[in-house]
Amino acid sequence: MAALFFLAALGVVAYAMQSRQGLGVTGLSREVPWGLYIAQFTFLVGIGASAVTVLLPYYVHRQKVFARALILGEVVAIIALGQALSCIFVDLGQPRRLLNILLYPSPSSLMFWDCLTLTGYLGLSVMGLLASLFWRSPSSAKWARGLALVTIPWAIGIHVVTALLYAGLSSRPAWMTAVLAPRFLATAFASGPALLILLAGGLARAKVFDVGRDAVARLSVIMTYAAVFSLLLAGLEAFTALYSGIPSAREHLQYLFLGLDGHTGLLAFNYLSWGLLLFALPVLLIPGLRRRAGLATSATAAILISVLVDKGLCLVTSGFVPSPLGYVSDYWPSLPEVAIVVGIYAGGALVFLFLRPLFVLAVLVHADNQPLSTGREPGMAEAAPMET
Amino acid sequence: MTDPRHEIKWLWKEPFVRVFPEQDHAYEVEARRQMPVLVLCNHCANSPCTRVCPTQATWRRSDGVVAMDAHRCIGCRYCMTACPFGARSFNWEKPQAASGASNYPARTAGVVEKCNFCVERLDAGQRPLCVETCHARGTRALTFGNLEDAESPLRQLLATRQVLRRHPALGTEPSVFYLV
């Protein structure tokens, strides 16, 4: 806890430095104008959107085993959204003019829509969390479900809009692919559940909150197949890029996997991301391996870190390679830049710790009317119990 | 000289092969590849930068100039990301009096910078500083004028000479033409 406060404070100090000296203190440049901030923003929007992986089974498929995972998922979504918006804020050269986005609404700008949909989603998620906690009587549960039915497509929408922010730019062939939005969703629905599973493990060990083995097992299935699907999409993208033979379609992949013009800035990170994914998938897919709890947890963490590195660094910064004039420049986040991002994560972790009483409250509220970790709907009676 | 990563560029030279990569081929001579070519904002008729700006801090004026309101810009750098010509820069630090023009508007750090064809000069009935300087030195390499006016010297040039535009296939419709 003290360490988290220290890191958060360090982030504030680094940001104070950045606001005084300008964005020149970052590793960003004329050639790579977006870096760690926008990349982490993209990753965090994915985590926020992945609340779908608990909302959908619970509210649409009525899988009551997700009742507790739902609370966790909503808390994580709200924090991730707060962090994502912070990443946007620290990226601005003139943050005091932020409200210009609303004062001069520009419907042709995807960033305008991104800001609208993200703040809307933050509001919906806060309402959703309160609904999950308090709207439990049969009459108000109907409203909670209605809210969820709006929130689910909205959650998918925020990540699609974030992908479209990149995917419509003729200047950046690396991102100009229709597969970008589905790929974002696939990696979001892999990394989000991975984070929930790891947090659920932590909360259970701390004896704060037990999400239930069934819910964790089901989240793990969602995570695994989302990751498999993301692999397929990455492969499809590589095919079009390589088979077409168009240099501009291929060069960013060359930069990521081989290096371009002697520049190998992202090579290690890219291979780390792929290595972790290729380690995790067999573990999660082969029953004999995933039954080993320690190995399964490592694989889950591997999925999370793999997406964090890919989306939170490689995907965004490799889009700027080569530059429109064909220059290749490696991007390295500066120390203040890293400190600010770490500070945002430390802040998020602190909020999560402060919200711990919510989980206790959730248990109290639900104790009387729902057998949370084993409950099963009549419609699901014939379904085999999930193996872990 | 500041850090090259933070350099502000309005009008500068690049090797021909980087400006017109589509024109390159395996048997091209190196001298022609490396021939310096002036590059600047293309003031595209269908400009991606103005499309993506979330505050309309950059917009296409009625005369076709892609202008920039440095007082409205929030510094998100989406326009720099969207420009297929690398024509936009950012004031990563406090800007110096780099333009050399005493009446050039002062900037703060944290806003995007670009060639605006010296709009403050255009509005005063003058030509852009680059064209003015070029003509003052007796070189008439640069011609500035109204593309919409069929009688303008600019259109006469376009009617008689073969021209290149940068990345025409992207559909941005650059308003800067290179006489071959």
Side-chain angles (χ1 to χ4, degrees):
Chain A
M1 189 90 140
L4 287 177
F5 267 114
F6 175 73
L7 290 175
L10 207 62
V12 172
V13 171
Y15 184 67
M17 190 176 136
Q18 179 185 294
S19 7
R20 215 184 49 239
Q21 296 178 28
L23 280 162
V25 302
T26 65
L28 298 168
S29 63
R30 202 181 178 283
E31 310 294 349
V32 188
W34 282 351
L36 199 59
Y37 299 149
I38 296 292
Q40 288 295 319
F41 155 78
T42 308
F43 169 75
L44 286 163
V45 171
I47 297 290
S50 69
V52 164
T53 60
V54 289
L55 286 167
L56 196 69
Y58 183 78
Y59 282 110
V60 177
H61 300 280
R62 313 231 186 217
Q63 296 189 8
K64 296 287 183 223
V65 287
F66 277 93
R68 288 188 176 191
L70 183 69
I71 311 283
L72 179 61
E74 284 173 327
V75 168
V76 167
I78 291 166
I79 295 173
L81 254 288
Q83 290 176 305
L85 291 170
S86 309
C87 284
I88 287 279
F89 186 80
V90 299
D91 185 67
L92 294 181
Q94 288 288 338
R96 273 166 294 186
R97 300 181 188 164
L98 178 67
L99 286 180
N100 280 2
I101 296 178
L102 298 176
L103 291 174
Y104 309 102
S106 316
S108 68
S109 172
L110 266 303
M111 196 176 280
F112 165 72
W113 291 108
D114 215 13
C115 288
L116 283 195
T117 50
L118 288 174
T119 27
Y121 182 69
L122 186 59
L124 283 173
S125 300
V126 171
M127 271 156 60
L129 175 63
L130 297 174
S132 311
L133 284 172
F134 303 114
W135 292 2
R136 282 289 158 180
S137 72
S139 58
S140 51
K142 199 171 62 189
W143 288 100
R145 184 161 186 266
L147 183 64
L149 293 183
V150 175
T151 311
I152 291 165
W154 198 295
I156 294 169
I158 59 166
H159 216 26
V160 168
V161 172
T162 305
L164 298 186
L165 192 130
Y166 297 104
L169 304 178
S170 62
S171 54
R172 311 291 164 186
W175 305 330
M176 213 182 74
T177 157
V179 156
L180 197 69
R183 199 174 161 199
F184 271 23
L185 289 172
T187 48
F189 297 159
S191 55
L195 179 61
L196 293 187
I197 293 167
L198 295 173
L199 287 174
L203 287 172
R205 266 194 304 281
K207 306 223 181 301
V208 177
F209 190 61
D210 187 5
V211 163
R213 284 168 67 98
D214 255 17
V216 167
R218 279 163 207 242
L219 276 174
S220 180
V221 172
I222 296 171
M223 167 185 80
T224 305
Y225 288 103
V228 170
F229 192 58
S230 81
L231 191 66
L232 171 71
L233 291 174
L236 290 173
E237 217 174 298
F239 171 79
T240 352
L242 300 177
Y243 193 82
S244 65
I246 304 172
S248 66
R250 163 191 82 215
E251 280 161 337
H252 71 284
L253 289 178
Q254 235 169 309
Y255 179 61
L256 282 171
F257 285 92
L258 303 168
L260 194 61
D261 286 356
H263 291 265
T264 53
L266 288 176
L267 222 57
F269 290 100
N270 184 50
Y271 280 113
L272 171 70
S273 173
W274 277 98
L276 289 170
L277 182 67
L278 295 178
F279 150 73
L281 280 181
V283 171
L284 294 166
L285 286 168
I286 299 167
L289 292 177
R290 74 167 169 261
R291 273 194 213 103
R292 295 188 209 169
L295 201 55
T297 307
S298 315
T300 306
I303 295 267
L304 179 65
I305 298 169
S306 168
V307 176
L308 175 71
V309 173
D310 179 43
K311 239 176 171 172
L313 181 69
C314 296
L315 188 133
V316 172
T317 53
S318 69
F320 292 101
V321 175
S323 77
L325 283 158
Y327 291 103
V328 181
S329 23
D330 289 325
Y331 156 80
W332 286 107
S334 69
L335 271 180
E337 207 174 349
V338 174
I340 289 172
V341 168
V342 169
I344 288 173
Y345 275 96
L350 283 172
V351 174
F352 186 79
L353 290 178
F354 285 131
L355 289 180
R356 260 184 315 183
L358 271 186
F359 297 115
V360 181
L361 180 70
V363 176
L364 291 174
V365 170
H366 296 167
D368 43 1
N369 58 3
Q370 273 167 3
L372 286 169
S373 53
T374 54
R376 205 170 282 138
E377 277 215 329
M380 288 178 55
E382 59 272 36
M386 298 293 296
E387 56 161 325
T388 45
Chain B
M1 190 61 212
T2 57
D3 186 336
R5 295 180 313 132
H6 295 167
E7 202 180 336
I8 308 271
K9 296 179 177 177
W10 290 276
L11 177 71
W12 72 103
K13 283 183 235 169
E14 291 286 349
F16 180 85
V17 65
R18 291 189 181 277
V19 184
F20 299 105
E22 307 86 347
Q23 304 293 328
D24 194 34
H25 56 83
Y27 313 102
E28 179 62 291
V29 292
E30 203 51 30
R32 194 148 48 214
R33 276 203 184 115
Q34 297 308 328
M35 192 172 66
V37 175
L38 273 184
V39 290
L40 67 158
C41 169
N42 281 292
H43 297 273
C44 304
N46 184 19
S47 43
C49 55
T50 58
R51 197 185 309 147
V52 302
C53 177
T55 61
Q56 296 160 48
T58 185
W59 76 103
R60 195 170 147 82
R61 306 198 328 168
S62 55
D63 62 2
V65 172
V66 174
M68 184 70 213
D69 183 347
H71 298 280
R72 191 189 284 190
C73 175
I74 60 172
C76 71
R77 309 183 296 291
Y78 199 5
C79 56
M80 294 174 76
T81 305
C83 175
F85 305 103
R88 286 174 170 263
S89 307
F90 188 71
N91 288 296
W92 299 102
E93 294 152 26
K94 289 214 164 56
Q96 306 298 309
S99 76
S102 57
N103 57 349
Y104 197 83
R107 300 275 185 267
T108 63
V111 297
V112 166
E113 192 72 70
K114 73 183 287 292
C115 155
N116 58 7
F117 274 149
C118 303
V119 278
E120 68 286 344
R121 291 175 56 90
L122 295 184
D123 292 344
Q126 297 168 302
R127 287 180 297 192
L129 198 58
C130 57
V131 181
E132 192 70 45
T133 315
C134 173
H135 288 210
R137 288 185 188 173
T139 348
R140 305 191 72 83
L142 300 176
T143 307
F144 181 83
N146 183 359
L147 279 171
E148 299 295 315
D149 176 6
E151 304 304 315
S152 66
L154 194 59
R155 287 286 293 275
Q156 301 300 311
L157 265 178
L158 290 182
T160 52
R161 298 277 298 271
Q162 201 191 340
V163 292
L164 286 176
R165 283 192 302 170
R166 292 174 67 190
H167 305 315
L170 298 182
T172 67
E173 296 300 334
S175 302
V176 173
F177 295 80
Y178 292 85
L179 300 172
V180 186

